[in-house]
Amino acid sequence: MIRLNVWFINLGIIWTVIFAVMSFYWAMGGMLGVKSLGGSIYEIALNPSPSFLAVVWLTGFIKLLGAAVLAMLLVHWNNPKITRTLYYTAKISGVFLFLYGAFNFITISLHALQLLDFDLDPYATFWRLVFWEPFWMVGGVFYFFSAKKIKGSS
C-alpha cells in the first residue's frame, strides 16, 4: 500500500509547472533570467536557431509530463500495477532531479573555487549556486517524498 503526501504532490506540481512555464517563456523569445544560466546556453539564446527553440519547447512539455505523473498519483487506480509504476516513477525522478542539482552544485562550487574551469562568468556562477541547482534539488525532494510505501506492502 502507498501513502500519499498531498502537500509534496501539490508542491511538486507547482514546482514543475513553474519550471515548464520558464521553458515556454524562453522558447517564445523571453530573455529574463537566461543570463543566469551562463555559458553556451546563454550565448545560443542570444541568437537561437529554430532547432534550439524546438528543444526548449520540447523540454517544457517534458517537464509537464512530470506534473502529470504527480497528479496521477492522486487518482485511485483499481490496478495496483499503475499505482506502483507511478510511485516508482516519482521516486526515481526525485532521485534524478536531486542528484542532478547536487552534482551541478558541487562542480560549479569547484569552479567558483577555481579548481575546475567552466565557461561561466561570476554572475551565472552566483545564480547557479544560489538558485538553479538548489531549485533542481528542491524539486527532487518534492517528487521523492510525494509518496511512501507502507511496511508490509508490495
Side-chain angles (χ1 to χ4, degrees):
M1 186 170 184
I2 294 172
R3 178 179 295 148
L4 301 178
N5 187 330
V6 178
W7 279 101
F8 277 103
I9 291 172
N10 288 328
L11 288 170
I13 290 170
I14 292 167
W15 177 89
T16 305
V17 169
I18 290 170
F19 208 22
V21 166
M22 284 188 279
S23 290
F24 296 139
Y25 167 75
W26 291 331
M28 290 186 292
M31 292 298 290
L32 184 65
V34 174
K35 187 175 181 184
S36 67
L37 298 173
S40 60
I41 293 178
Y42 174 65
E43 295 299 324
I44 294 169
L46 292 174
N47 189 18
S49 67
S51 62
F52 178 78
L53 292 176
V55 168
V56 178
W57 277 105
L58 182 62
T59 60
F61 287 112
I62 290 170
K63 291 170 186 176
L64 288 180
L65 288 176
V69 166
L70 291 176
M72 289 169 63
L73 279 170
L74 297 170
V75 175
H76 178 72
W77 299 95
N78 291 329
N79 185 341
K81 289 181 182 180
I82 295 172
T83 304
R84 276 195 306 274
T85 299
L86 293 169
Y87 168 81
Y88 286 113
T89 301
K91 287 290 188 189
I92 292 166
S93 298
V95 169
F96 174 76
L97 291 167
F98 186 86
L99 290 176
Y100 180 80
F103 289 143
N104 280 338
F105 188 88
I106 291 166
T107 57
I108 294 169
S109 294
L110 292 172
H111 164 72
L113 296 170
Q114 299 180 343
L115 297 173
L116 288 178
D117 186 25
F118 288 133
D119 182 23
L120 285 179
D121 63 21
Y123 179 85
T125 300
F126 174 80
W127 284 107
R128 296 283 300 267
L129 290 175
V130 300
F131 179 73
W132 288 114
E133 307 323 325
F135 187 76
W136 281 98
M137 292 186 286
V138 166
V141 168
F142 293 157
Y143 275 69
F144 187 82
F145 290 108
S146 62
K148 172 184 172 180
K149 262 193 171 186
I150 299 173
K151 290 187 182 205
S153 64
S154 57

